[in-house]
């Protein structure tokens, strides 16, 4: 699956390069944007939203199509405390209860950087404002780090009494890989002066990576890094 995705992305990148080579009379495009990424699904169970950025360069193919190659980078560093806890069944006074126990010392991050080919399709053009659909295919290098966790854990029982729930002995874990990714969304360009445009958009992104589970910490497997993306930046036609 990963090899197929890489081949498809390479073909799309080659197609974009060929299109721009054959369109020498059309304008070049330079872009830069700041991005807000909100993880969804099982990725959202591990992390809170983060920010990132991208820079791009491309060329108009015709009045409808524009190809832009981008370098993208972002890093999730804030863990989702509301979803990070362990559950343990403890018997006291011959009664078994299930307790939810926070694990506040756990730290994790997910760092992503990559390149993508993006097809921008003009949907509407009113001179000073344009609406576009964008579809991007990229290759991303990502690295995930999870801290070790060595600590005694306690549940809070009746009358706020602490109950010993066990000792966690979990070594640190690091993962690193290359994965394909897809982005699809809508953006609006607003002309501010001559060749300079402000661009605002929203999209859905998925990177075909996988974070392994850690059963002792009740961390489920993450198959596919899914996120909503809100972007704002500048686009200049040269």
């Amino acid at each position: 699956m990963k090899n197929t995705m890489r081949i498809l992305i390479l073909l799309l990148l080659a197609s974009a390069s060929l299109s721009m080579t054959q369109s020498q009379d059309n304008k070049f495009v330079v872009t830069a944007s700041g991005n807000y990424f909100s993880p969804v699904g099982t990725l959202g169970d591990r992390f809170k939203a983060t920010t990132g950025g991208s820079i791009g360069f491309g060329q108009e193919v015709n009045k409808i199509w524009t190809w832009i190659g981008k370098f993208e980078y972002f890093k999730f560093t804030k863990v989702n405390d509301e979803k990070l806890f362990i559950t343990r069944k403890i018997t006291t006074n011959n009664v078994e209860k299930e307790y939810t126990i926070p694990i506040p010392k756990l730290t994790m991050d997910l760092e992503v950087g990559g390149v993508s080919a993006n097809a921008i399709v003009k949907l509407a053009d009113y001179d000073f404002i344009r609406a576009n659909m964008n579809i991007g295919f990229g290759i991303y290098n990502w690295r995930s780090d999870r801290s070790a966790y060595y600590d005694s854990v306690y549940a809070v029982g009746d009358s706020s009494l602490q109950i010993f729930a066990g000792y966690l002995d979990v070594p640190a874990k690091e993962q690193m890989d290359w994965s394909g990714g897809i982005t699809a969304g809508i953006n609006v360009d607003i002309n501010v002066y001559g060749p300079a445009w402000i661009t605002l958009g929203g999209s859905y992104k998925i990177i075909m990576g996988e974070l392994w589970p850690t059963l002792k910490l009740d961390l489920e497997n993450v198959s596919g890094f899914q996120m909503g993306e809100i972007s704002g930046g500048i686009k200049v036609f040269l």
Side-chain angles (χ1 to χ4, degrees):
M1 176 65 180
K2 289 184 178 179
N3 288 335
T4 302
M5 178 63 70
R6 290 174 186 173
I7 292 171
L8 176 59
I9 292 169
L10 288 173
L11 288 174
L12 287 166
L13 288 169
S15 174
S17 299
L18 181 61
S19 296
M20 289 188 290
T21 301
Q22 294 175 343
S23 308
Q24 296 298 324
D25 295 333
N26 293 325
K27 295 178 181 179
F28 290 98
V29 186
V30 177
T31 67
S33 69
N35 307 77
Y36 177 84
F37 298 94
S38 179
V40 297
T42 49
L43 186 66
D45 292 339
R46 295 203 185 196
F47 297 105
K48 293 183 178 180
T50 191
T51 57
S54 69
I55 56 175
F57 179 78
Q59 188 177 24
E60 292 181 326
V61 177
N62 52 47
K63 293 182 179 181
I64 302 298
W65 284 82
T66 300
W67 279 103
I68 297 177
K70 288 184 179 180
F71 171 75
E72 307 172 50
Y73 176 83
F74 56 93
K75 185 176 183 180
F76 291 104
T77 58
K78 296 181 180 179
V79 298
N80 189 347
D81 299 318
E82 296 178 358
K83 297 291 183 71
L84 289 179
F85 53 81
I86 60 174
T87 57
R88 295 291 186 269
K89 291 182 179 180
I90 304 173
T91 300
T92 56
N93 298 324
N94 296 320
V95 177
E96 183 182 68
K97 290 184 179 180
E98 185 173 81
Y99 294 87
T100 298
I101 306 168
I103 43 177
K105 297 181 181 180
L106 183 66
T107 61
M108 296 185 293
D109 62 55
L110 175 62
E111 185 176 21
V112 181
V115 293
S116 62
N118 300 267
I120 312 300
V121 184
K122 191 181 299 181
L123 300 177
D125 188 349
Y126 299 101
D127 294 331
F128 68 96
I129 187 170
R130 299 170 179 171
N132 309 295
M133 176 179 67
N134 64 84
I135 302 175
F137 302 86
I139 300 177
Y140 300 89
N141 179 250
W142 57 269
R143 186 185 70 184
S144 171
D145 289 307
R146 177 186 52 71
S147 67
Y149 208 100
Y150 304 111
D151 197 15
S152 298
V153 290
Y154 295 85
V156 179
D158 297 334
S159 302
S160 299
L161 294 176
Q162 288 193 329
I163 305 170
F164 179 67
Y167 184 78
L168 289 177
D169 184 359
V170 184
K173 179 181 291 184
E174 179 181 358
Q175 290 181 250
M176 183 182 297
D177 204 352
W178 289 88
S179 301
I182 300 172
T183 303
I186 299 291
N187 74 284
V188 174
D189 297 336
I190 304 170
N191 186 237
V192 290
Y193 178 77
W197 298 68
I198 290 176
T199 180
L200 305 170
S203 59
Y204 166 80
K205 181 188 293 289
I206 180 169
I207 298 173
M208 310 303 179
E210 182 176 10
L211 298 179
W212 300 330
T214 304
L215 299 181
K216 289 184 179 180
L217 297 176
D218 290 1
L219 292 177
E220 297 183 4
N221 181 71
V222 177
S223 183
F225 309 153
Q226 301 182 69
M227 63 203 78
E229 178 182 356
I230 299 174
S231 62
I234 188 167
K235 181 184 293 183
V236 180
F237 293 86
L238 306 176

